[in-house]
Amino acid sequence: MRWSLAVLTMVMIQGCASQADNVVDGEAPTPSNECVGSVELPNELLGKFTQVDNPQMLAKAIGEPLSGGLCQGAVYQSTEEVTIYRAWNSTNPGSQFGNWWALNQPAGKTADYRKDYEICYQWSPLDKLVKCTLQVGATVVVGNGQSAKCSEYLEYPVSAAQQVFIESASDVMLNCSGFDSMMDWQPEQ
């Protein structure tokens, strides 16, 4: 019995010591907010944009950890028309031409899209989609998503998925088409 108590005590002490090793200056460790992914354009878009210097626009797109926005980015100007997409909130018609866009049409699970693009449920139900053509000469920031804290129970980490930040999006869009979200329940995988 004494031997068992001694072993149990040693295990508890070692467990506490290993937890204490992870504490720095009395604070528990926080998840890494290092940026992931690339700000380089996908191959299919290389000839359709040129990189430009616009630190003011880049600063508007970059977000603090846990606040959304971009973790890292580069500013580009379109040299050809490019199709882009935005999932948005039908209860806020003004959000159709918001700042955040995607290079690819959303597909797959809504929960995965939220995680890839750090979209908290409070920000949008993602029940509408608009597909538009970005005009030649439009300036955008392309980058990877910053982490976002949605609630006490939900945080999204930084993401490698590329996002597009556009100021005054309604001024640089052509040929927009709208789509409604439809419930389509799939078996769990």
Side-chain angles (χ1 to χ4, degrees), residues 128-147:
K128 295 288 270 185
L129 177 73
V130 65
K131 171 185 172 183
C132 296
T133 302
L134 184 66
Q135 294 179 17
V136 173
T139 303
V140 303
V141 180
V142 176
N144 311 108
Q146 178 59 275
S147 57

Side-chain angles (χ1 to χ4, degrees), residues 62-116:
I62 301 295
E64 292 294 320
L66 299 178
S67 66
L70 296 180
C71 186
Q72 61 184 352
V75 183
Y76 293 94
Q77 189 170 48
S78 60
T79 57
E80 293 182 29
E81 292 182 350
V82 176
T83 301
I84 60 174
Y85 304 86
R86 175 172 167 76
W88 59 284
N89 177 359
S90 67
T91 63
N92 179 3
S95 74
Q96 179 176 356
F97 293 103
N99 298 118
W100 300 103
W101 294 73
L103 297 170
N104 299 305
Q105 181 173 333
K109 293 181 181 179
T110 304
D112 291 341
Y113 187 79
R114 285 187 184 283
K115 182 179 177 187
D116 288 344

Side-chain angles (χ1 to χ4, degrees), residues 68 87-89 106-128 145-150 154-159 161 163 181:
W88 59 284
N89 177 359
K109 293 181 181 179
T110 304
D112 291 341
Y113 187 79
R114 285 187 184 283
K115 182 179 177 187
D116 288 344
Y117 291 86
E118 296 87 9
I119 303 171
C120 294
Y121 58 88
Q122 303 95 313
W123 300 344
S124 177
L126 304 177
D127 62 337
K128 295 288 270 185
Q146 178 59 275
S147 57
K149 182 172 184 169
C150 301
L154 178 61
E155 289 181 12
Y156 293 121
V158 294
S159 173
Q163 300 180 36
S181 175

